[in-house]
Amino acid sequence: MSRTMQMAKNGGWLLLLAGLTPALALAQDAVAEAAKPTLNSGDTAWMLTSTALVLFMTIPGLSLFYAGMVRAKNVLSVMMQCFAITALMTVLWTIYGYSLAFDTTGMTKEAINLSTFIGGFGKAFFNGVGRDSLTLAIPETVFATFQMTFAIITPALIVGAFAERMKFSALLLFMGLWFTLVYAPVAHMVWSGDGALMWDWGVLDFAGGTVVHINAGIAGLVACIVLGRRKGYPTTAMPPHNLNFTLMGASMLWVGWFGFNAGSAVAADGSAGMAMLVTQIATAMAALSWMFAEWLHHGKPSALGIASGAVAGLVAITPASGTAGPMGALLIGLIAGVVCFLASTKLKRALGYDDSLDVFGVHAVGGIVGAILTGLCADVALGGKGLAEGVSVGAQLWIQTKGALFTIVYSAILSYLILKLVDVVIGLRVTDEQETEGLDIALHDERGYNL
């Protein structure tokens, strides 16, 4: 072939490529556009509703649940603590919390680095979270606010363990540090995706068994031990002053929990529907199992018992709500009600710690029961969603146990160190005179009741 003919041929190919380049570029753009998530208005509407439901769990749900169980002289202090925590966590979540929990910049699955344990500051002050940014098929603003409500209720749960004896200033400092050093890292390790520690282990935690309940329950146990018992405990009777509040609060928690669990599907789909169903079943089963256990041990069923049992069921089904079926929900509820009853009565009495409102007995113990049973109840044989390919039930049970143990150790050590630091800086506990007078008057100069 002559040089002239070769050049002509090459020129033809060049012309052909030049003609195809715009088409190829358009095809690549079309593929990239198709890969982008698109807004689903139905999913968005459900997530907006779920977000409101989860906030409803803290104020007013948890506030009333706790307020009814303390003595009348401390009713406002507990509600004030829940309200102030809601405000504080919202601000901290905005400044850096969302970023520390969910910024995945630089995360790799191959190497262990800092991002394995904590996110970066790429989303600080909600940087890059605009009107048009999406997470899955919903606005990222909605996802971030939904996750904010989890960051609100988790530290608020801890309040019940040391109710009636911590200084308000100490509470604010402790909660701010605990949120930063404990909650955000655990949320990141479990939920942020490939490259995060417990995610890569394969820990199943659909809505917060480890992140929320074990985490908060262990912190509560450490806090009540570090602060010491209330004056007069256990020889002085300290009955709940208003069980009407407690039952109303428990009812609100039950309703709000559908946003907590079914909302964690981040979609209005079959996964959300099953999460809602198993949440209802497990809660009802746990309420009954606690009630009958108490009836058997004490001769009478109590309103406080059935309410506590319902919360235990809500806690235990939380990690399994995305993978369990109805049979698994019944099993989780049955076991959680009985085990949490025993932990909140016999175990607490035997060990002598003053967990005022049974945060450890319900949330830590219920969270551990639920987290471990998630590995069993995900199995298809129990009507579950099924495990990952190649993972046996035994292997998943060990993964779940390992995740629970890691959370227990991490939360316990960090909570202890934070409490000791706060004690050195400003002191943790109110004076004997303030405790006797009641925190409503001593710390806030107000009364819950004008008698």
Side-chain angles (χ1 to χ4, degrees):
M1 184 182 293
S2 69
R3 183 177 178 83
T4 303
M5 292 177 65
Q6 183 67 42
M7 291 178 64
K9 185 176 181 180
N10 290 343
W13 281 111
L14 289 172
L15 287 172
L16 179 61
L17 287 172
L20 288 175
T21 297
L24 289 171
L26 287 172
Q28 289 174 342
D29 290 343
V31 170
E33 191 66 30
K36 290 181 180 179
T38 55
L39 180 70
N40 185 302
S41 58
D43 292 347
T44 302
W46 168 236
M47 293 308 299
L48 287 166
T49 304
S50 295
T51 301
L53 284 170
V54 182
L55 181 60
F56 181 74
M57 289 169 63
T58 305
I59 48 173
L62 186 68
S63 301
L64 283 169
F65 183 68
Y66 279 173
M69 286 193 281
V70 297
R71 289 168 287 181
K73 62 184 180 181
N74 296 311
V75 58
L76 276 183
S77 71
V78 171
M79 300 187 84
M80 172 70 171
Q81 289 167 3
C82 291
F83 211 97
I85 287 170
T86 300
L88 178 62
M89 294 307 126
T90 298
V91 173
L92 295 182
W93 188 253
T94 300
I95 297 171
Y96 59 82
Y98 178 61
S99 192
L100 291 181
F102 288 100
D103 178 25
T104 57
T105 305
M107 284 181 66
T108 60
K109 193 170 183 177
E110 291 74 23
I112 295 178
N113 50 44
L114 185 61
S115 62
T116 300
F117 307 99
I118 189 69
F121 289 97
K123 291 183 180 290
F125 294 96
F126 289 131
N127 178 51
V129 182
R131 287 176 174 80
D132 298 324
S133 59
L134 299 179
T135 295
L136 300 177
I138 67 171
E140 190 175 5
T141 52
V142 178
F143 176 78
T145 311
F146 178 69
Q147 290 296 336
M148 178 193 291
T149 60
F150 281 65
I152 287 169
I153 196 169
T154 306
L157 292 172
I158 305 171
V159 165
F162 53 72
E164 305 189 304
R165 59 198 189 274
M166 184 181 275
K167 293 163 62 174
F168 187 66
S169 57
L171 171 118
L172 294 177
L173 181 55
F174 169 68
M175 291 303 179
L177 292 171
W178 190 87
F179 163 80
T180 306
L181 299 175
V182 183
Y183 179 81
V186 174
H188 178 83
M189 286 186 274
V190 175
W191 284 337
S192 63
D194 286 349
L197 185 67
M198 285 189 272
W199 178 284
D200 285 351
W201 286 353
V203 172
L204 299 176
D205 187 1
F206 191 70
T210 51
V211 178
V212 177
H213 298 292
I214 298 176
N215 211 5
I218 295 298
L221 176 65
V222 173
C224 74
I225 292 172
V226 171
L227 265 82
R229 302 172 179 180
R230 289 168 290 177
K231 283 184 63 180
Y233 182 89
T235 55
T236 302
M238 300 178 184
H241 91 282
N242 192 330
L243 283 176
N244 299 320
F245 280 3
T246 298
L247 281 172
M248 284 190 289
S251 302
M252 292 173 182
L253 286 169
W254 192 332
V255 172
W257 223 287
F258 292 123
F260 201 81
N261 286 356
S264 292
V266 198
D269 60 9
S271 179
M274 183 58 77
M276 178 172 279
L277 175 61
V278 297
T279 297
Q280 178 68 18
I281 293 169
T283 305
M285 185 73 254
L288 291 175
S289 65
W290 182 306
M291 182 189 77
F292 283 115
E294 182 183 45
W295 203 341
L296 180 65
H297 279 79
H298 301 308
K300 293 180 182 179
S302 71
L304 177 60
I306 198 169
S308 299
V311 174
L314 291 164
V315 168
I317 194 61
T318 292
S321 55
T323 51
M327 289 188 294
L330 285 172
L331 178 64
I332 289 172
L334 175 65
I335 295 174
V338 174
V339 173
C340 290
F341 165 73
L342 295 173
S344 300
T345 53
K346 293 186 177 299
L347 180 64
K348 183 168 75 169
R349 206 170 295 123
L351 298 181
Y353 58 86
D354 183 12
D355 179 3
S356 307
L357 310 181
D358 294 320
V359 174
F360 173 74
V362 172
H363 292 278
V365 173
I368 292 166
V369 167
I372 294 173
L373 288 179
T374 295
L376 174 65
C377 295
D379 189 35
V380 175
L382 281 173
K385 181 180 179 180
L387 298 170
E389 186 177 351
V391 178
S392 66
V393 171
Q396 191 65 51
L397 285 170
W398 166 239
I399 291 169
Q400 297 301 114
T401 303
K402 184 168 66 170
L405 289 172
F406 179 88
T407 306
I408 289 167
V409 173
Y410 183 84
S411 182
I413 293 173
L414 268 293
S415 298
Y416 178 80
L417 293 175
I418 294 167
L419 285 161
K420 286 298 185 180
L421 175 63
V422 174
D423 197 21
V424 169
V425 175
I426 59 175
L428 283 170
R429 187 160 179 156
V430 297
T431 65
D432 288 350
E433 292 76 15
Q434 289 173 323
E435 189 174 345
T436 300
E437 185 179 25
L439 274 56
D440 291 359
I441 285 290
L443 300 186
H444 306 294
D445 200 24
E446 295 173 304
R447 294 184 187 274
Y449 304 98
N450 292 314
L451 301 176

